Amino acid sequence: MTHLITALLFCLSLNTITSHLNALEVHASAHAKVPLIIGIKGIHDKNLQEVGNILKKDLMFSEQFSVTVQVFDNTLTKSDIKDLFKASYPIAIFINYADNTHNSIEWRVYDTMNAHMIMGKKYTKRGTTTSGWAHNVTDTLWPILTGQPGFFSTKIAYCKAVPNAKGACLKQIIVSDYNGDNPQLLVDTPTVNIIPRWNNDKNNPLLFYSEYTNANVRMMMITMKKERHIASNFDGINMLASFSPDGQKVVYCASHGDGTCQLYYKDKETFQRLAYTDTKTQKTLLQGNNIAPCLSADNSIVYFCSDFLMGYPQIYGYHLQDKTVTTITHNGYCASPSYCARTNKLAYTKKVKGIMQLYTYDIVTKKHTQLTHDTANKDECSWSPCGNYILVGMEQQGINRIAIYNIPTGTFHYITDAHAQCDYPAWSPVYTVYPTIMT
Amino acid sequence: MLLWQLKSAHNRHKLWLKLFTCSFITHLFFIGILFCKYHNSTTSHKFTVHSNMPNTHFAVVLAPTAQNTVIPNQIKQTTVTRTTRSQAQKQVPKKIESKRTATHITPEKSTTAKIKAQAIEKPKPICAQANTATEQKKQPKKNPEIIEKKVTPIKKTTEPQKIVEKTLPHEINKGNAQQLALPQTEKQYVEVSYAQAQELFRQEALKKELSRHWKPPHGIAQTCSCEITAHVGTNGVITDIEINQPSGILMYDVSARAAILAMNLPRWTWGESFTVTLKP
């Protein structure tokens, strides 16, 4: 009798356990921003408030989050955090000073549904600017939120046309935050300064640029303290230095007064001009202009733009080991290659129906993708360190502006004013200390 | 007092009491099985429903066991030698494979969906056989065996065509259940039970509802995915939601969870739990 009752109960319980639907797989049909709240806790001052506002701006830059900043008391409870979930904020970030000295900022990321803290860290202030602290905090938050490396502690350098007293057009070099905020004048010599390029030393940010002189176009180097040094002063043109990730190798362009611009490679042991002869046509690199070099991540290939083979600019890859050249683009007017080590892709511009459009080339799949289709001409382009954005100079109806192209959303974000003539942008790598220009 | 009464009761009465108790428990057991087991669904089946599945049309013919879609003329041509009903029923699947002219569904017996290749005659679904009176006459007589006892006259005839064997399709489009405009070269026939079809339709509806609310942020890699299990209470409210396999991206997991919480859960999910894999 007992066994029978036990068996009956067991069978009934088995049936309830097996009441379970099957697994489904669903794909998305649209995109939406994730709501997020930044809470400033405890005792705060203007600096912490500004950090919160800059955090908000940084997180909203990628168009993945919609952010609200709010001040909270220090006595925040779990039920208060769960109330945030009911207010449609699934993620909350709380920032506060770690101690009374205000030298470090603590941040904590919460899943508000369960009031569960996902991660928290203490950031010790580096540098002297509030924006630098905020960008550093965002760089530590970004991988947790998005799984991507941060890019906020970077700088952008570009040229700005300025008329002098005699009406001649000079060009100065401006350095700003990644989003164009806080522009600062770095090079203001009374001449034309163009094509800035950042080095890859994370501890020592340097900017290389080309300066017009009466005799030549020499390559200069400037520190964040505005200390200028001559980097290359050969006859003719010296420009467009590209550094390896370890900073030990460099490729740059120089004409040496020969009339054509050639590529020169330098490391600790060698200094050589890149030479190549095409087997079919017997044309050499010496017969054309070779510019805009960029080193690959493994330092084995130099991607550059040249007209030596076809008579008009194309993108090529020079293999340093066997000294051969492969053709990347095969038709059209292609220029301004820029290499991204993180995604292993090239960005370049190509003329389509009379307008220069932005393209990317995947080195692994060998696939070209046209990114833009609008009516503005794209000039120089430069990748962000994370590989999700491209900084590009745009010209339309005689106006030159700098914009950031957001690859996931396909949208442009202008970072310079429509009234200023700005071009030749360059995006810096992520430095350990946020580069700040000392005045 | 009760013990004294039991001790003094006649043995015959004790026997009756025991018999009554056993019978009562046995009845309870079977009633419990009927109520609980057949209340919602039968055995669970694993289905994977993709949104990017190829748009192949195939017929789903659902018919009670008593009905037969074989045409009377065809019946005469295709006869079985077996006389007993149970034996004929057992022989149906094998005979159908080679000589049937229409799909035959036995919801009670078939437990798995099949597509059957027919060498000689190709059965057409019911709807496609609507206006084939002339076609019936044109069809050659090929198969001498039929199932006599299950034969009932139906509307259509089929032309003998080859049926290509194909693998089991993973999705039954509800709209296509009645569409039978199949390409002439290849035809797929699926036999499913009513419970299976119902489950598939329910999954499709749930998937459609979830797709309306599933909106991840930009910039997510296509290889990313998040598996979530939601437990629905008997009142239709989600009582618990677990992320079984997080994607590693907080904003993605949070979006996935929000999509499930925002769903209007259909009535049949109440008291159930389901697992969803959300992909960008």
Side-chain angles (χ1 to χ4, degrees):
Chain A
M1 187 70 64
T2 312
H3 295 313
L4 195 59
I5 295 168
T6 310
L8 172 64
L9 290 172
F10 180 68
C11 290
L12 288 175
S13 65
L14 270 181
N15 183 69
T16 56
I17 288 167
T18 56
S19 177
H20 186 93
L21 292 176
N22 306 314
L24 293 177
E25 195 171 289
V26 180
H27 290 257
S29 56
H31 297 281
K33 296 180 184 178
V34 177
L36 188 150
I37 186 165
I38 295 174
I40 300 173
K41 270 179 59 179
I43 301 167
H44 61 278
D45 55 6
K46 281 184 184 177
N47 283 336
L48 195 63
Q49 187 81 38
E50 193 179 340
V51 165
N53 291 333
I54 296 172
L55 262 178
K56 173 185 173 180
K57 207 169 178 183
D58 286 348
L59 294 175
M60 289 182 69
F61 178 80
S62 66
E63 298 182 39
Q64 293 169 316
F65 298 98
S66 62
V67 184
T68 307
V69 179
Q70 195 173 333
V71 176
F72 291 91
D73 294 332
N74 216 6
T75 57
L76 200 64
T77 61
K78 276 197 171 182
S79 62
D80 295 331
I81 296 174
K82 288 184 180 179
D83 289 341
L84 293 175
F85 181 77
K86 291 173 189 172
S88 304
Y89 292 111
I91 304 173
I93 299 171
F94 295 104
I95 58 172
N96 58 278
Y97 283 124
D99 49 37
N100 293 331
T101 59
H102 295 188
N103 284 334
S104 46
I105 297 171
E106 285 180 342
W107 58 260
R108 292 178 179 85
V109 180
Y110 278 86
D111 179 0
T112 54
M113 182 176 168
N114 304 319
H116 165 67
M117 189 179 88
I118 295 166
M119 193 173 273
K121 269 190 183 176
K122 186 173 166 182
Y123 164 74
T124 304
K125 290 179 181 177
R126 295 195 297 266
T128 55
T129 58
T130 312
S131 59
W133 308 332
H135 292 323
N136 287 156
V137 170
T138 314
D139 273 335
T140 53
L141 283 169
W142 198 247
I144 300 164
L145 295 172
T146 64
Q148 298 274 333
F151 62 93
F152 301 93
S153 301
T154 55
K155 285 285 195 182
I156 283 173
Y158 56 91
C159 299
K160 183 177 176 182
V162 174
N164 66 356
K166 296 179 183 178
C169 184
L170 305 178
K171 287 214 170 178
Q172 298 170 335
I173 292 182
I174 309 292
V175 171
S176 70
D177 293 354
Y178 75 95
N179 53 3
D181 289 347
N182 305 319
Q184 290 177 287
L185 184 60
L186 184 63
V187 179
D188 59 350
T189 54
T191 181
V192 177
N193 304 288
I194 55 170
I195 320 175
R197 286 288 185 269
W198 294 93
N199 70 332
N200 271 332
D201 188 349
K202 290 183 182 179
N203 298 316
N204 187 23
L206 296 171
L207 193 67
F208 290 76
Y209 65 96
S210 295
E211 180 184 74
Y212 278 66
T213 67
N214 291 331
N216 64 352
V217 178
R218 62 186 180 186
M219 188 156 62
M220 300 295 291
M221 174 184 72
I222 187 167
T223 66
M224 293 300 105
K225 294 180 184 176
K226 291 192 174 182
E227 296 164 347
R228 292 167 60 239
H229 304 276
I230 297 173
S232 176
N233 198 19
F234 294 109
D235 292 341
I237 300 171
N238 302 270
M239 62 179 183
L240 292 167
S242 171
F243 293 87
S244 61
D246 59 359
Q248 300 299 315
K249 303 168 186 65
V250 63
V251 181
Y252 71 98
C253 302
S255 65
H256 288 236
D258 296 336
T260 57
C261 198
Q262 301 301 316
L263 300 176
Y264 291 86
Y265 172 82
K266 186 181 186 315
D267 59 18
K268 281 184 180 177
E269 297 166 353
T270 58
F271 176 72
Q272 59 175 332
R273 178 176 59 81
L274 301 185
Y276 170 74
T277 303
D278 185 55
T279 51
K280 289 181 183 176
T281 60
Q282 298 303 311
K283 290 184 179 178
T284 66
L285 287 175
L286 280 172
Q287 293 172 287
N289 283 306
N290 311 292
I291 58 171
C294 39
L295 273 166
S296 62
D298 57 358
N299 304 325
S300 64
I301 304 174
V302 176
Y303 298 100
F304 65 101
C305 176
S306 176
D307 59 355
F308 84 101
L309 200 57
M310 293 189 180
Y312 51 88
Q314 293 292 306
I315 311 295
Y316 300 93
Y318 186 95
H319 298 262
L320 291 167
Q321 195 164 3
D322 54 6
K323 298 185 181 178
T324 56
V325 168
T326 53
T327 307
I328 304 294
T329 58
H330 300 273
N331 51 30
Y333 185 105
C334 304
S336 307
S338 175
Y339 176 77
C340 178
R342 190 169 180 274
T343 57
N344 203 17
K345 285 184 180 178
L346 275 178
Y348 63 96
T349 55
K350 180 178 177 179
K351 187 173 275 188
V352 177
K353 295 180 183 177
I355 298 171
M356 296 297 288
Q357 302 290 359
L358 197 56
Y359 274 73
T360 55
Y361 171 73
D362 191 316
I363 289 165
V364 175
T365 62
K366 297 186 180 359
K367 187 180 171 188
H368 296 268
T369 306
Q370 182 175 351
L371 297 180
T372 61
H373 300 81
D374 57 339
T375 55
N377 282 306
K378 287 53 170 200
D379 301 325
E380 293 283 319
C381 55
S382 177
W383 282 98
S384 66
C386 63
N388 289 316
Y389 307 93
I390 299 176
L391 188 64
V392 61
M394 295 175 67
E395 183 272 325
Q396 191 167 23
Q397 295 176 350
I399 300 171
N400 291 303
R401 296 178 74 179
I402 309 288
I404 293 178
Y405 182 78
N406 187 330
I407 295 175
T409 61
T411 55
F412 279 103
H413 171 77
Y414 287 98
I415 63 167
T416 59
D417 196 13
H419 303 293
Q421 297 284 5
C422 301
D423 47 19
Y424 297 114
W427 203 320
S428 79
V430 179
Y431 294 108
T432 51
V433 180
Y434 189 62
T436 308
I437 296 172
M438 309 291 186
T439 52
Chain B
M1 185 69 179
L2 181 63
L3 283 173
W4 177 82
Q5 284 180 346
L6 284 173
K7 281 181 183 176
S8 62
H10 197 272
N11 286 337
R12 187 188 300 169
H13 296 150
K14 284 183 187 175
L15 176 64
W16 278 113
L17 183 63
K18 285 179 186 174
L19 285 173
F20 174 75
T21 310
C22 286
S23 171
F24 181 70
I25 290 170
T26 308
H27 276 90
L28 270 183
F29 176 73
F30 283 107
I31 288 168
I33 288 174
L34 280 172
F35 181 74
C36 297
K37 182 169 182 170
Y38 290 100
H39 176 64
N40 287 326
S41 60
T42 55
T43 55
S44 64
H45 301 274
K46 287 191 178 179
F47 295 97
T48 302
V49 181
H50 299 273
S51 68
N52 57 350
M53 287 296 291
N55 189 19
T56 55
H57 294 275
F58 50 85
V60 176
V61 181
L62 306 175
T65 3
Q67 292 182 8
N68 195 332
T69 58
V70 179
I71 304 165
N73 293 336
Q74 297 296 317
I75 290 166
K76 288 182 183 176
Q77 296 166 3
T78 61
T79 55
V80 294
T81 55
R82 302 178 190 280
T83 54
T84 61
R85 183 171 185 165
S86 60
Q87 288 176 353
Q89 286 178 355
K90 287 177 188 176
Q91 290 293 324
V92 164
K94 292 181 185 178
K95 299 300 176 186
I96 288 169
E97 283 177 0
S98 58
K99 295 170 187 177
R100 284 182 61 195
T101 59
T103 53
H104 176 67
I105 306 296
T106 54
E108 293 179 355
K109 294 193 177 181
S110 62
T111 57
T112 58
K114 309 173 195 177
I115 297 177
K116 299 188 174 178
Q118 298 194 11
I120 299 173
E121 290 183 355
K122 194 172 185 181
K124 280 187 179 178
I126 294 175
C127 295
Q129 297 171 358
N131 50 354
T132 55
T134 53
E135 289 176 3
Q136 289 181 12
K137 295 178 183 175
K138 293 179 184 177
Q139 289 181 4
K141 300 179 180 180
K142 289 190 177 181
N143 299 319
E145 296 183 340
I146 58 165
I147 304 160
E148 286 182 343
K149 294 196 178 180
K150 289 197 173 180
V151 164
T152 56
I154 66 166
K155 303 171 188 177
K156 303 170 189 180
T157 59
T158 59
E159 292 180 357
Q161 291 179 9
K162 283 188 180 178
I163 295 174
V164 177
E165 268 194 26
K166 295 210 171 182
T167 56
L168 176 65
H170 293 287
E171 183 177 18
I172 295 176
N173 190 338
K174 190 174 184 177
N176 287 337
Q178 298 301 320
Q179 289 180 11
L180 298 167
L182 300 170
Q184 291 183 359
T185 53
E186 297 177 353
K187 291 189 180 180
Q188 301 177 17
Y189 292 90
V190 180
E191 290 188 2
V192 296
S193 67
Y194 178 77
Q196 287 177 334
Q198 188 187 37
E199 194 167 349
L200 282 171
F201 293 148
R202 284 177 172 179
Q203 286 195 356
E204 188 65 27
L206 189 66
K207 190 180 138 181
K208 197 175 175 182
E209 172 65 18
L210 186 54
S211 297
R212 282 178 49 226
H213 298 278
W214 173 220
K215 295 179 184 176
H218 285 283
I220 303 294
Q222 292 300 314
T223 53
C224 194
S225 71
C226 174
E227 187 178 290
I228 295 180
T229 298
H231 303 277
V232 186
T234 51
N235 55 356
V237 175
I238 292 179
T239 56
D240 189 22
I241 186 163
E242 302 164 8
I243 299 177
N244 301 330
Q245 289 179 9
S247 61
I249 300 171
L250 178 62
M251 64 175 184
Y252 188 83
D253 295 340
V254 158
S255 288
R257 191 179 62 189
I260 290 176
L261 289 170
M263 280 172 62
N264 291 325
L265 294 165
R267 182 66 178 85
W268 54 268
T269 60
W270 293 12
E272 301 279 351
S273 61
F274 57 90
T275 302
V276 183
T277 302
L278 292 130
K279 296 197 170 184

